[in-house]
Amino acid sequence: MTAILYLFIGGISVLSTFLWVLSCLGNFQQNRVRAAAVGLTHILSPVYEVNLLYKLTLPLHQPIIEFLGLHRWSPYWRFFYMDWHFQTRHDQFKAWGTDLFIMTTPGRNVVTSASAEVCYQVATQGTEFPKPTYLYARANFLGENVITTEGNAWRRFRRITAPPFNEQLMRSVWVQSRKLCLELRDQWTASGSELGSVVPGITNLTMKVITAAGFGVHTSLAENHTSSNAGPEDNEYFTSIPKGFSAPFGAAISLLVKNVVAVCALPLGALMLSPWRSTGLAFVDTQKYLRALLHRERRREEEGYYSTRSLERRHNILSALNKPGDEKTPGMNEDEAIANAFGLVLAGHASSADTLNYSLVSLATFPEKQEWFLKKLDQALDGESEDPNDWNYETLFGKLAPCLCVMNETMRLFPPVPVIPKWTGDKTSSLVYEGEVYTLPPNTMVNIDLAGLQQNPKYWGTDAYEYRPELWDATELTGWTPETFGRTPDPSISAPFSNVRKPVKGSFMPMSMGHRACLGEKFAQVELCLILAILFQKSRLEVVCQKNESPEAARKRSWGVMRGSRSLISLQMQEDVAVRWVPR
């Protein structure tokens, strides 16, 4: 009887597998016919790159391909590398002789572009190329939010979440970044010249900035200590462990952000039984903390708390999410406010922290570029107080174009998200490429390949893969290509943006573009520019040599670590790069 049962189960398994393979082959053939009709360069792939099983085996592919030498035989095999977009940069497009191709898979047809002309169309035509929300379904573990939705839901969330990102919030970001960065600088100075990795300090700093400016929770970098600006409820709820919680607020939300991939992959019950139990507890704690914060903001508004408080305490994102709506835009309920608050933290913190980490390590890796930056920074700070506590947002931010040049170049080479996915949805959509119109069938993915686009020699010159922050400086007669060479400051826009050179339209969009452009772009710019100015005001940064390693070899190793980055939620280095601060 047992043998018959085993045979029955085995037969069912074989039949199910056969039917699944047959279905995949049928889908593949249908997709192949549709893709061939489009008229673009056509590539066939046996797997859809977002398939879960495929993604789980990705780390095995490259070693096997390179062991067999397949990557030398044809560039086709590089499509099966982990993070092939970032790894190959523009090389794959060059190998196929085009900046736009379509790939047929059993799942969907996938159009991939490194053309500024095409990427601009895709990014700015939201109705033609919406966000593929099905890819973000697991990210809705706290509920739908402005990051993961499209259509009417997204428009409503956007109308509520966009107004808080105003100049009042930017002043608050400036104040919080200044205070916390000075604390970090003091910590690093006290620890001696050899710092080790910048990642832990920068990650903590950017999280504390966003929780202060975003949620009104003012704490210091030191665990379990409030800042001098903290209110009594900061002490009560967010710098100790209240009854019914497992960690302080900062620790809970930081752990949740760090392990968000596990939260997306596993339901809460499974998390609690897994090695990520602490992350499951952080998930529960974060929900409860955010709900408590919403209630606190509501009480404060009712009691007139902010009428007697300083500017940086009055303006935070959470208070805006609490506001009642109107007939045109109904306000958010508590669950929606919690989901949107966490979504904004997740997106904003990842991009800010990672871009700062790459900026610091890049400047340490290329000392000649750092010398250019220090010279320009000194010019920007000329006439300013020696004490950054006196630096004013209104008067200094407009001078920090050199910091913005560093930030832009870092995001050009190391975009927080190497690919921006779009799709055609349930209708056909058209693209214009090099004078030809191409009609894409329904359910076609359209990927903006930022790694290929932002390192395309057509827009960035023959040395597009090199780190060159000075070419963003519009006050110098430089540029990437004849089209951009010598582009001077633009008086029609405010500083510091007027002094930053504009690249070819559509060739640079690390924070997206059009109606889905990042809400917190200026938030990040204000924060990162000030942090870079404070850290490099009196010091320079260099890579620490390992035993028997020359400085040149250390810098080459550092660049190799950056180029070996991988992307889960955002692009991150997989190894630490030890650095040291040296007095100037």
Side-chain angles (χ1 to χ4, degrees), residues 549-571:
E549 185 180 45
S550 68
E552 183 179 354
R555 292 191 290 270
K556 184 177 180 181
R557 171 176 53 81
S558 172
W559 182 246
V561 169
M562 287 190 283
R563 284 298 312 148
S565 298
R566 293 292 179 265
S567 176
L568 288 174
I569 295 297
S570 62
L571 190 69

Side-chain angles (χ1 to χ4, degrees), residues 451-567:
L453 170 70
Q454 295 180 172
Q455 297 178 68
N456 189 335
K458 182 177 180 180
Y459 316 117
W460 304 97
T462 55
D463 49 358
Y465 291 179
E466 297 180 13
Y467 183 72
R468 303 163 300 162
E470 72 279 4
L471 297 189
W472 288 91
D473 185 1
T475 66
E476 301 287 344
L477 291 176
T478 56
W480 303 280
T481 61
E483 183 179 352
T484 59
F485 188 87
R487 282 188 177 177
T488 55
D490 185 350
S492 67
I493 55 178
S494 62
F497 309 103
S498 58
N499 291 323
V500 176
R501 178 165 286 108
K502 289 184 179 180
V504 172
K505 185 173 75 172
S507 65
F508 181 69
M509 53 178 80
M511 293 191 180
S512 195
M513 184 179 282
H515 76 296
R516 297 295 309 220
C518 177
L519 276 171
E521 182 172 5
K522 190 171 182 182
F523 185 116
Q525 290 166 337
V526 171
E527 177 188 14
L528 269 64
C529 285
L530 181 58
I531 290 172
L532 287 173
I534 290 174
L535 292 178
F536 286 94
Q537 180 196 15
K538 298 179 179 179
S539 304
R540 58 169 44 86
L541 193 62
E542 61 184 33
V543 179
V544 175
C545 296
Q546 296 179 349
K547 187 177 180 180
N548 299 323
E549 185 180 45
S550 68
E552 183 179 354
R555 292 191 290 270
K556 184 177 180 181
R557 171 176 53 81
S558 172
W559 182 246
V561 169
M562 287 190 283
R563 284 298 312 148
S565 298
R566 293 292 179 265
S567 176

Side-chain angles (χ1 to χ4, degrees), residues 52 55-56 135-142 256 259-272 274 276 279 283 568-569:
L52 180 59
K55 291 175 78 70
L56 290 174
L135 292 178
Y136 298 85
R138 288 300 304 161
N140 287 326
F141 53 85
L142 281 174
L256 183 58
N259 295 328
V260 71
V261 173
V263 180
C264 290
L266 298 172
L268 181 59
L271 271 178
M272 291 299 196
S274 74
W276 293 284
T279 301
F283 171 54
L568 288 174
I569 295 297

Side-chain angles (χ1 to χ4, degrees), residues 23 39 71 76 94 100 113 142 174-175 184 187 193 214 271 277 285 287 316 368 378 404 427 466 477 493 522 582:
S23 173
H71 63 300
Y76 172 78
K94 180 180 178 181
L100 184 68
S113 174
L142 281 174
W174 181 274
V175 171
L184 179 64
Q187 285 182 8
S193 62
L271 271 178
R277 174 177 166 77
D285 281 351
Q287 281 184 302
N316 64 72
E368 71 282 3
D378 288 345
L404 203 54
K427 62 186 185 308
E466 297 180 13
L477 291 176
I493 55 178
K522 190 171 182 182
V582 179

Side-chain angles (χ1 to χ4, degrees), residues 176-208:
Q176 298 306 322
S177 300
R178 181 180 63 196
K179 174 172 61 69
L180 290 164
C181 187
L182 285 171
E183 186 182 346
L184 179 64
R185 192 173 76 172
D186 290 343
Q187 285 182 8
W188 281 348
T189 302
S191 66
S193 62
E194 189 165 322
L195 170 65
S197 172
V198 297
V199 172
I202 291 298
T203 300
N204 191 23
L205 167 63
T206 51
M207 178 58 76
K208 294 297 174 67

Side-chain angles (χ1 to χ4, degrees), residues 213-320:
F215 298 156
V217 179
H218 298 256
T219 57
S220 72
L221 294 182
E223 200 63 46
N224 296 329
H225 289 84
T226 57
S227 70
S228 58
N229 198 28
E233 288 180 301
D234 289 326
N235 280 308
E236 180 182 355
Y237 290 105
F238 310 116
T239 58
S240 59
I241 304 178
K243 185 178 180 180
F245 291 78
S246 62
F249 172 72
I253 197 167
S254 295
L255 183 60
L256 183 58
V257 168
K258 179 181 178 181
N259 295 328
V260 71
V261 173
V263 180
C264 290
L266 298 172
L268 181 59
L271 271 178
M272 291 299 196
L273 299 174
S274 74
W276 293 284
R277 174 177 166 77
S278 59
T279 301
L281 293 172
F283 171 54
V284 174
D285 281 351
T286 297
Q287 281 184 302
K288 293 193 293 186
Y289 274 125
L290 291 177
R291 199 173 300 278
L293 279 167
L294 283 167
H295 294 170
R296 185 182 78 166
E297 290 300 316
R298 199 168 295 143
R299 289 196 307 271
R300 287 180 169 182
E301 290 291 343
E302 292 170 354
E303 297 167 359
Y305 173 88
Y306 289 118
S307 62
T308 60
R309 293 303 189 275
S310 58
L311 175 70
E312 66 271 15
R313 294 191 67 80
R314 285 204 305 273
H315 299 286
N316 64 72
I317 297 168
L318 207 58
S319 63

